[in-house]
């Protein structure tokens, strides 16, 4: 059974930075693309970023492009999201999500419990 455990969230001031991590287990991590999605208070799920199975391809939502960086370490079954130049509108629960294929499709079939990111002064 797939298991995804996020960590690294917290309270940060506008303009600050944070790095989220996701530990994966229960499936062949290197065979699947991975994504980060988020849910802001009172809103639906928003796809944030994705990375192909081997890490060669990445994609970002327009709202985070140039500020967030996704990466993965297939030797450690770890997924990361570096958040910088944070804005109050980035406040959300961030989820690590397993995609259904090797390429980024934004179609996920499993996600973790999430980690809270709060951007506030």
């Amino acid at each position: 059974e797939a298991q995804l455990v996020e960590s690294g969230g917290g309270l940060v001031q506008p303009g600050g930075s944070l790095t989220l991590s996701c530990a994966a287990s229960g499936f062949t991590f290197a065979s699947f693309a991975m994504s980060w999605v988020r849910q802001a208070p009172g809103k639906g799920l928003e796809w944030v970023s994705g990375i192909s199975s081997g890490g060669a391809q990445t994609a970002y939502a327009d709202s985070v492009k140039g500020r967030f960086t996704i990466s993965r370490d297939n030797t450690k079954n770890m997924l990361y999201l570096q958040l910088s130049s944070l804005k109050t509108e980035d406040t959300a629960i961030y989820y690590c999500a397993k995609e259904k294929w090797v390429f980024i499709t934004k179609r996920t079939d499993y996600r973790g419990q999430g980690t809270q990111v709060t951007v506030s002064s």
Side-chain angles (χ1 to χ4, degrees):
E1 180 180 339
Q3 186 172 15
L4 299 169
V5 180
E6 303 92 338
S7 61
L11 174 64
V12 61
Q13 292 186 339
S17 299
L18 211 57
T19 298
L20 306 182
S21 300
C22 172
S25 62
F27 64 102
T28 306
F29 182 71
S31 295
F32 294 93
M34 296 293 294
S35 281
W36 287 95
V37 299
R38 68 185 180 184
Q39 186 165 27
K43 297 188 177 180
L45 278 174
E46 176 190 16
W47 178 85
V48 173
S49 180
I51 186 167
S52 59
S53 60
Q57 296 177 315
T58 59
Y60 300 91
D62 288 343
S63 58
V64 307
K65 199 170 294 183
R67 300 189 298 119
F68 291 9
T69 302
I70 191 171
S71 62
R72 65 190 296 163
D73 184 340
N74 286 348
T75 66
K76 298 180 179 179
N77 288 1
M78 292 292 295
L79 178 72
Y80 305 98
L81 186 67
Q82 293 177 281
L83 294 68
S84 61
S85 302
L86 282 162
K87 306 175 181 180
T88 55
E89 52 263 44
D90 293 318
T91 294
I93 299 173
Y94 285 72
Y95 300 93
C96 167
K98 172 185 167 292
E99 294 232 1
K100 295 183 177 182
W101 193 234
V102 295
F103 301 112
I104 303 165
T105 63
K106 303 181 185 180
R107 298 187 176 205
T108 62
D109 57 7
Y110 191 81
R111 66 174 185 263
Q113 295 300 305
T115 186
Q116 175 72 49
V117 172
T118 302
V119 184
S120 174
S121 55

